């Protein structure tokens, strides 16, 4: 089914079939940057390197994603978004396939960076949903599509962990390339045409990022807070596989299976979107960030439990902190997307640039802390950064647009 119009009237809703397609597309696109996390140990053995060295793979992938968001996502405000999405997916498919064929670590790092840059098609897909959804239902629609994106982030670890343990790391990227090829075909026939919303040049688009940053204090507050939350998120997931291996003798498949627990937290996205529409995003944010903090504090007490209970307790904590982070992300998106609709691509670019800078910092610092301080060092980082985010969110902003 192809939409015949670029936008819907305020009393209409985007068909669930379309929302589901966009949700799945966002999930498979963003999954590309997370396949490497549960297989850090496998890559370490394959390339004969230390864990801290192989940690550069997810770090560079996230840096690439941040660069792609900053320099490529704003293109959606000046070109046909459908063509942009399909073009990036074609190159992403090629990058994933070439990654599976690499035999040297430097080439793996280069391909990881390119995968990150091109996987920003996921952000273009989220923005496509806002372009064809009435304002009164934007939070709900963004929440549904973000459920797919967040599920892709978490379930990619399940897929990667299982496939990597039984068939090797290269097969992961070959299957990922095949999934992107299916997306290309689907979006070619299903996405509506979405012409540029303005006539600005690329130089003007990029030049407008700094004025947008200075113009909206809500934007600055949102991106800094979510960036800090991303540090905690990435530090935990980057080191989890190594922690489970060292302390419980569990393989990559088990580490990946923890993504199922995290995926349970992805149901927060549509709930947070709907509640943000009704109650205001700020109220949802204060609760969500608090949940993240208490979840990581609870993990500090895991060694006090019996071994049989420790894993179950960790699973519960994962569900809670992912629920909180996902709710925070959708609420921040609701705030940011409302500021200036014709600049939504650029606002999204600023938001997610900070998110994935936070992700890259979390991967790098988390790996360092685990190697030199241990698991508790990672948890302290994951507690402190959300706590700072909560303090930032509690600071009142004059003339805020959302309650």
């Amino acid at each position: 089914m192809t939409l015949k119009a670029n936008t819907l009237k305020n009393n209409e809703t985007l068909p669930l079939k379309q929302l589901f397609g966009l949700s799945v597309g966002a999930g498979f696109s963003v999954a590309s940057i997370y396949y490497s996390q549960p297989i850090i140990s496998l890559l370490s053995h394959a390339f004969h390197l230390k864990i801290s060295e192989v940690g550069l793979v997810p770090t560079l992938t996230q840096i690439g994603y941040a660069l792609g968001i900053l320099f490529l996502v704003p293109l959606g405000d000046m070109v046909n978004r459908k063509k942009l999405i399909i073009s990036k997916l074609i190159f992403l498919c090629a990058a994933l396939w070439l990654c599976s064929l690499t035999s040297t670590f430097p080439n793996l790092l280069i391909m990881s960076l390119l995968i990150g840059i091109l996987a920003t098609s996921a952000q273009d897909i989220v923005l496509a949903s806002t372009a064809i959804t009435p304002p009164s239902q934007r939070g709900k629609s963004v929440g549904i599509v973000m459920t797919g994106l967040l599920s892709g982030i978490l379930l990619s670890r399940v897929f990667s962990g299982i496939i990597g343990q039984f068939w090797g790391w290269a097969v992961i990227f070959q299957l990922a390339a095949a999934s992107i090829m299916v997306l290309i075909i689907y979006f070619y026939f299903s996405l509506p045409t979405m012409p540029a919303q303005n006539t600005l040049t690329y130089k003007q688009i990029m030049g407008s990022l700094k004025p947008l940053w200075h113009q909206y204090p809500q934007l600055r507050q949102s991106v800094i807070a979510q960036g800090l939350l991303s540090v905690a998120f990435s530090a935990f997931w980057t080191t989890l596989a190594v922690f489970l291996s060292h302390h419980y003798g569990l393989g990559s498949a088990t580490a990946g299976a923890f993504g199922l627990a995290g995926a349970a937290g992805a149901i927060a996205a549509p709930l947070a979107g709907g509640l943000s529409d009704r109650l205001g995003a700020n109220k949802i944010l204060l609760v969500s960030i608090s949940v993240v903090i208490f979840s990581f504090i609870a993990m500090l007490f895991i060694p006090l439990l019996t071994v049989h209970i420790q894993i179950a307790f960790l699973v519960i904590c994962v569900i809670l902190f992912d629920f909180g982070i996902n709710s925070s992300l959708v609420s921040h998106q609701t705030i940011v997307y409302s500021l200036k609709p014709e600049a939504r691509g650029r606002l999204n670019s600023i938001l997610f640039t900070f998110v994935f800078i936070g992700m890259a910092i979390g991967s790098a610092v988390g790996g360092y802390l685990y190697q030199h301080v241990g698991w508790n060092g990672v948890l302290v980082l994951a507690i402190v950064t959300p706590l700072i985010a909560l303090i930032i969110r509690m600071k009142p902003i004059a003339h805020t647009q959302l309650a």
Side-chain angles (χ1 to χ4, degrees):
M1 177 180 177
T2 302
L3 291 179
K4 296 180 180 180
N6 296 324
T7 58
L8 299 172
K9 295 179 181 179
N10 200 55
N11 61 347
E12 294 180 302
T13 60
L14 192 63
L16 284 177
K17 181 180 178 180
Q18 291 290 336
L19 282 173
F20 179 76
L22 291 168
S23 180
V24 171
F28 275 102
S29 296
V30 80
S32 302
I33 66 175
Y34 292 99
Y35 291 130
S36 63
Q37 287 188 354
I39 58 169
I40 290 295
S41 295
L42 295 178
L43 293 174
S44 175
H45 290 302
F47 291 92
H48 309 291
L49 296 168
K50 297 178 181 178
I51 292 294
S52 58
E53 293 173 318
V54 179
L56 286 173
V57 173
T59 298
L60 277 177
T61 307
Q62 288 153 359
I63 289 173
Y65 200 79
L67 290 173
I69 288 171
L70 181 60
F71 293 107
L72 295 184
V73 171
L75 287 172
D77 288 341
M78 58 175 287
V79 301
N80 185 308
R81 199 179 297 279
K82 176 179 180 177
K83 292 182 179 178
L84 179 63
I85 290 171
I86 292 175
S87 297
K88 288 167 75 173
L89 287 175
I90 290 172
F91 285 109
L92 175 60
C93 181
L96 287 165
W97 183 259
L98 290 173
C99 183
S100 73
L101 302 178
T102 188
S103 58
T104 67
F105 190 61
N107 285 340
L108 180 64
L109 293 179
I110 292 170
M111 298 316 302
S112 297
L113 181 67
L114 289 175
I115 287 170
I117 292 171
L118 296 165
T120 53
S121 53
Q123 296 300 317
D124 299 308
I125 293 168
V126 174
L127 289 168
S129 72
T130 69
I132 52 180
T133 302
S136 64
Q137 300 169 34
R138 188 158 292 137
K140 180 181 177 181
S141 295
V142 169
I144 292 173
V145 177
M146 284 300 296
T147 298
L149 186 146
L150 296 168
S151 297
I153 291 174
L154 298 162
L155 293 177
S156 61
R157 297 183 175 92
V158 182
F159 168 83
S160 178
I162 294 173
I163 298 298
Q165 182 166 328
F166 295 104
W167 287 283
W169 69 270
V171 177
I172 296 169
F173 292 96
Q174 291 167 1
L175 292 175
S179 71
I180 299 301
M181 179 60 69
V182 173
L183 281 186
I184 293 168
I185 297 170
Y186 172 76
F187 282 137
Y188 180 81
F189 291 104
S190 69
L191 274 183
T193 300
M194 290 171 277
Q197 293 183 309
N198 54 63
T199 57
L200 296 176
T201 64
Y202 183 72
K203 183 177 180 180
Q204 290 171 325
I205 286 284
M206 296 306 296
S208 68
L209 295 178
K210 186 175 180 180
L212 286 171
W213 173 264
H214 289 294
Q215 183 179 358
Y216 296 108
Q218 301 98 318
L219 175 64
R220 298 193 296 273
Q221 185 185 51
S222 296
V223 300
I224 293 173
Q226 194 63 45
L228 288 164
L229 288 167
S230 299
V231 173
F233 179 88
S234 186
F236 174 84
W237 284 109
T238 300
T239 57
L240 176 64
V242 184
F243 169 73
L244 292 175
S245 176
H246 288 174
H247 289 265
Y248 302 102
L250 300 174
S252 65
T254 304
F258 264 78
L260 291 173
I267 63 172
L271 292 175
L275 289 173
S276 293
D277 287 337
R278 295 195 300 272
L279 303 178
N282 286 334
K283 296 174 183 177
I284 305 303
L285 280 163
L286 296 179
V287 175
S288 300
I289 298 173
S290 297
V291 169
V292 174
I293 295 169
F294 287 118
S295 298
F296 283 116
I297 290 175
M299 290 186 199
L300 288 171
F301 295 94
I302 286 178
L304 302 179
L305 304 173
T306 63
V307 174
H308 300 292
I309 300 177
Q310 287 178 8
I311 294 294
F313 189 77
L314 181 60
V315 168
I316 294 171
C317 291
V318 168
I319 293 172
L320 289 175
F321 97 74
D322 268 341
F323 191 96
I325 284 185
N326 296 343
S327 297
S328 299
L329 178 57
V330 173
S331 298
H332 279 135
Q333 285 176 290
T334 303
I335 292 173
V336 170
Y337 293 164
S338 71
L339 298 176
K340 192 174 184 180
E342 66 272 21
R344 197 168 285 133
R346 284 163 281 168
L347 292 167
N348 186 77
S349 177
I350 294 170
L351 171 62
F352 277 92
T353 296
F354 272 75
V355 165
F356 280 89
I357 287 174
M359 291 280 196
I361 292 172
S363 289
V365 178
Y368 178 86
L369 286 174
Y370 186 87
Q371 185 165 340
H372 293 89
V373 181
W375 179 244
N376 282 348
V378 176
L379 293 181
V380 169
L381 174 68
I383 293 167
V384 171
T385 50
L387 183 60
I388 298 172
L390 182 62
I391 294 170
I392 290 172
R393 282 277 14 143
M394 292 175 70
K395 181 181 179 181
I397 293 181
H399 309 297
T400 185
Q401 294 186 11
L402 292 177

